[in-house]
Each structure stands twice: as structure tokens, then as C-alpha cells.
Amino acid sequence: MNLPVLKAADFASDQDVRWCPGCGDYSILAQMKKVLPELGVPREKTVFISGIGCSSRFPYYMNTYGMHSIHGRAPTFATGLKSTRPDLMVWVITGDGDALSIGGNHFIHCLRRNLDINIVLFNNRIYGLTKGQYSPTSTEGQVTKSTPMGSIDHPLHPLSVALAAEATFVARSIDAHVKHLGETLKRAAEHKGTSLVEVYQNCNVFNDGAMAYAQERKQRAENVVELEHGKPLIFGTNNDKAVRLVGNHLEVVNVADVPADDLLIHDEKEMNPSIQMMLARMRYPEMPEPIGVLRAVEGVATYNEQINDQVTLAKQKKGEGDLQALFNSGDTWEVA
């Protein structure tokens, strides 16, 4: 039987997209719809789960199964779904506030468990849905409606959090770099285990231009380094700059001034996340910020596989079980 060939339009729902005109979310939605047909997974086997925030309207706009859940808890819903239905491709759509504030605990434990799902974290460094308060990723000194004298919080950095939890796939892309974004989403989907893709997403209403150094084509070449496995970290308008490891820190050098052997070669498959963590800590303006896949390690058991193996083993030892018998076992009582 020949299965229908899906196109991007087949993944678009009949709902009006209700983001602000010019929002970076439109780009992420468009690239997701372009990538999904390439994966060959039927729409009825695809699920998008979100929490609360501007990004969390995403499931409404996908012609797949979906769930708009509660604030910060999308990873918990995804854990239950993937554990009971491992045949599904599950995506969690979240934002910097949803994932790193109220949902921080769930986010970290999902990463460390290596559940076979994909997490896309829209990072605009602001609370957009509630109209412009500072978020866990807002920069120090940032003036917002809730920090009129400037934020005094040290920001969280999603890639550093993920690497500290030893997530098996950690990547970053940019809403305006559409080709790179599509390629990164596809790689995340193909990874077995928890994949995290942080997307720099411009909120043109409440934090416009916050990441222009990375998003704008004219500035990007000097401020961003695109990671490629097995290749040196070279960047710059003329590809004349590079990154090398000196002792326990990274530094920028001119390519013409150092031997090629001095340049840092990216290894996304290294199990020890130490150098990957150093890459995650490269921050503008002192250093170019990395985009692409920082870490992609294979062979780590997934949570959903292990829990289902335990269920199978329990059935072999004790039988299928009887829920009604369980309810009536042990100490029971009647309420008059």
C-alpha cells in the first residue's frame, strides 16, 4: 500500500495563528512544518505538548495530536505519554519562563532521565504573554515592567543547565537563520533520547532586538560560530577568526596568527561534557556564541525503554495483575 506523501501544508491546522505580527514564533512554526514531512512519521503518531506562554499556543497550529497543558508541566505530561505510548513522536514546546521558572524542576529531571522526546525552548529573555516582565534568562540590568531599575538576577543559561544535567542532545539555533533552524530541528528529531533545542526568538513587542547580534545577518558572522562535528571553530565575516583551548579556558585568535593544529576541533560525541560546557559559556560580547549541536551522544538508555522493560519483567514474574484485586487488597475499610 502506498502511503500519502505529506507536505508542510498537511501539518498546518485550520486555526488562525494568533501571535503578534513580526514575532519570531512564526519562523519556528514554519520550519517545524517543513521538517516533519522529512521524518516520515504519520500525523496521528505525532504529538505536541506545551505549557503556558506565547510559545505554548503551538499545538493549536499543528495538524497533529496535541495538548495545551499547565504552566511548567509539559515535561511531566510528555513523560507519561511517551512511557505508555513509546511508538509516538513527542515534542515539548516551551519558553524561557515556562521551562526555567515554574517548570525548572520538571525540565531538569526530564533531561537527566533521557526520555526519548524533543524539547524546543523558545528563548526571548522576557515574559511576553503577561506583557513584559523579566524572565529567568533576562540579562543583568535589563529594565522591564517588573524591574524598573534593572534586573539584579543572574540569568539562567538553558544550554548550561542541560549540559549540567548531562542531556544527551543539546543544541541552539536562531529564528531568523531558517535553514540552520530546520536542520537543527531535524537532527533533534532523529536523536534517540532527550533532545533540547534552544531557539533565540525575537519578541518584537517587549524585548525587540535583544539578540540582534546573533539574529541579524550583518552582525551574525562576527558574533556567532556555527558548530560542525570534527571541524575547527572558525567564524568572522572573512572566516579569519577562530577559537582555541588554552589551559582551562577558550580564547579567540586570528587564523593567520596560529598553527591550524592549535584550533579547537568540535566533538559533539564526547561523553565528558566539560568542553561542551565551556562552549555553552561563550557569550556575547566577549566571545562568539555557538549555534548548532553542542552535544549528541548515543548509546544511553532511555527512560521510556527502561520503565517498559521493568513492566514486562514484573508481568513475567507476577502475571498481568488485577486492578480490582489491588483496590481490595491490604487494609480496607468502608465509609458509612
Side-chain angles (χ1 to χ4, degrees):
M1 182 178 67
N2 293 325
L3 296 176
V5 177
L6 297 175
K7 301 179 179 65
D10 295 318
F11 284 92
S13 75
D14 60 357
Q15 298 296 299
D16 293 333
V17 181
R18 299 181 182 277
W19 288 315
C20 300
C23 177
D25 290 3
Y26 286 96
S27 173
I28 306 171
L29 177 64
Q31 292 311 304
M32 181 66 76
K33 288 189 289 190
K34 288 181 181 179
V35 165
L36 289 178
E38 300 177 22
L39 302 176
V41 179
R43 289 176 296 180
E44 62 271 19
K45 293 283 189 178
T46 305
V47 185
F48 285 86
I49 302 175
S50 64
I52 297 296
C54 294
S55 64
S56 295
R57 296 193 60 81
F58 206 94
Y60 295 107
Y61 308 141
M62 300 300 302
N63 189 18
T64 64
Y65 283 104
M67 180 184 299
H68 190 180
S69 70
I70 54 180
H71 208 184
R73 272 66 176 185
T76 62
F77 285 90
T79 298
L81 180 60
K82 187 65 180 183
S83 297
T84 55
R85 288 291 305 275
D87 58 309
L88 300 179
M89 179 173 67
V90 179
W91 295 82
V92 167
I93 304 296
T94 187
D96 44 304
D98 186 59
L100 299 173
S101 185
I102 193 171
N105 185 48
H106 304 288
F107 176 69
I108 291 171
H109 289 295
C110 186
L111 293 170
R112 76 174 178 87
R113 285 171 168 162
N114 200 37
L115 185 74
D116 189 16
I117 65 169
N118 314 296
I119 303 173
V120 184
L121 192 158
F122 297 28
N123 185 6
N124 55 23
R125 300 178 181 171
I126 200 76
Y127 277 108
L129 185 67
T130 52
K131 307 300 183 285
Q133 298 82 12
Y134 82 123
S135 83
T137 60
S138 294
T139 56
E140 290 182 63
Q142 185 169 332
V143 175
T144 73
K145 291 181 179 179
S146 55
T147 54
M149 298 180 68
S151 171
I152 59 174
D153 284 5
H154 305 302
L156 277 174
H157 299 278
L159 301 187
S160 296
V161 172
L163 289 167
E166 299 198 28
T168 54
F169 185 98
V170 180
R172 174 191 284 148
S173 192
I174 303 169
D175 58 2
H177 197 346
V178 292
K179 184 175 184 292
H180 185 274
L181 175 58
E183 293 170 349
T184 305
L185 291 173
K186 184 177 181 182
R187 283 210 55 194
E190 293 170 343
H191 176 74
K192 186 176 181 181
T194 305
S195 64
L196 169 69
V197 179
E198 176 194 22
V199 183
Y200 279 173
Q201 175 259 318
N202 189 44
C203 176
N204 60 316
V205 175
F206 296 109
N207 203 20
D208 192 26
M211 290 162 283
Y213 63 87
Q215 290 168 319
E216 293 184 359
R217 187 187 298 270
K218 292 181 179 180
Q219 299 190 57
R220 188 186 305 152
E222 292 294 323
N223 300 319
V224 165
V225 57
E226 294 194 26
L227 303 176
E228 293 185 69
H229 178 66
K231 294 185 178 182
L233 277 68
I234 295 177
F235 69 103
T237 304
N238 300 311
N239 287 325
D240 56 348
K241 301 174 185 177
V243 177
R244 71 173 176 180
L245 177 65
V246 180
N248 62 356
H249 72 278
L250 301 177
E251 68 175 15
V252 173
V253 296
N254 292 317
V255 173
D257 295 340
V258 298
D261 291 346
D262 275 11
L263 305 184
L264 177 64
I265 304 298
H266 181 48
D267 186 359
E268 65 183 34
K269 301 183 184 302
E270 172 58 52
M271 289 293 293
N272 186 328
S274 299
I275 293 181
Q276 298 155 359
M277 179 67 83
M278 295 171 74
L279 296 177
R281 290 179 56 80
M282 291 185 0
R283 290 162 197 156
Y284 173 83
E286 291 79 17
M287 297 285 285
E289 296 197 358
I291 63 172
V293 179
L294 282 77
R295 178 174 169 86
V297 297
E298 305 292 342
V300 180
T302 64
Y303 181 85
N304 43 286
E305 285 180 329
Q306 293 184 91
I307 196 170
N308 280 291
D309 287 345
Q310 289 187 343
V311 170
T312 300
L313 182 60
K315 288 180 178 179
Q316 291 173 351
K317 290 184 175 180
K318 300 182 179 181
E320 286 290 332
D322 184 331
L323 186 60
Q324 193 61 40
L326 178 63
F327 284 154
N328 290 282
S329 64
D331 295 329
T332 62
W333 61 93
E334 294 183 6
V335 179

